[in-house]
Amino acid sequence: MQPDVLGLGADESAAYRALITVPSAGPVEFASLMRVPADRARSLLSGLEAAGLAVRGLGDPERFVAAPPATTLRDTLRRRREELLRAEAELGVLDEVYRAATLRRGAPGVVDVIRGADDVREAFGRLQLGARDEVLSLVKAPIAVISAAENVEEDSAVARGVRYRVVFERAMLDEEPDAYARIVAARRAGEEIRIADAVPLKLLIVDREHAFMPLNATGPPGALLIYESGLLQALIALFESEWRRATPDGAKSLDDLDSRIVGLLMTGLTDEAVAAHLGTSLRTVQRRVRHLMELTGGRTRMQLGFHAARLGWLD
């Protein structure tokens, strides 16, 4: 069933529009208002609550009040606008990549196709060694040819004063054993790093003149080297969109796993017990706890709990 202009399903939209016409409603009243069975009314109200479109009354938790539409739906519209801009940028990228791949060669003056692990590494390093002002990067799992530990050209460029802006996909934090430590060290060296739940592709842009985009990791190693063109401008726009969407350090909005880890630690569970409870590895729990402690400056689990409460992570 197609969503309406606000991104709501037909049943959800009808239920919300009905709820905003009354000060509050319990399941029985709402069933009468919607002309549906009581069980269906309860399900609709629970769905509105889960979507942030309704809240329970303070005096009577069985009654529901509609959330203000201007506040509640404005964020939905903003997200949809951002998704549309990202989709348009990605469409331009995919169109150029498709044409280059179909021809089995680069688009003359726009794209060169690099094949082979050695040539990919050489091109990746050469671009960074030649960087003068700025490098933009989207880092996505899994690692294909070049790990962070092998990327010594990045350290050299930062030391020369080249500005690095990097968006890490959160999955990368579990991809490399020392990912957290490397991020902390990179920040201390002057890099600007943000973390996103996901990024659409792997990308390196140097001085807004060249872009390097690794190809599918499942096939033979390869990459596209992209020169100044409309495609390069689309990639720059895509990076800037991902940069705005990402959080500076992950502290503003923890992912679900981090939130659950912090919550369980605050109940007094050990790292081993937290890992068993969440069905994940002890190493993953310890990495994420270490990262959270680095973010907050906490030296103990108790200090982490204090900072987590202060930052609103336990709400």
Side-chain angles (χ1 to χ4, degrees), residues 16 52-53 66-79:
Y16 182 67
L53 299 172
T71 301
T72 305
L73 298 175
R74 185 176 288 115
D75 285 344
T76 300
L77 294 176
R78 177 183 54 78
R79 286 194 299 271

Side-chain angles (χ1 to χ4, degrees), residues 281-294:
S281 68
L282 174 61
R283 186 172 64 175
T284 293
V285 171
Q286 290 175 334
R287 282 182 193 163
R288 293 197 173 220
V289 170
R290 183 167 63 250
H291 173 56
L292 295 174
M293 293 176 73
E294 288 169 348

Side-chain angles (χ1 to χ4, degrees), residues 57-69:
L58 294 177
D60 184 357
E62 287 299 311
R63 299 188 67 81
F64 291 79
V65 178

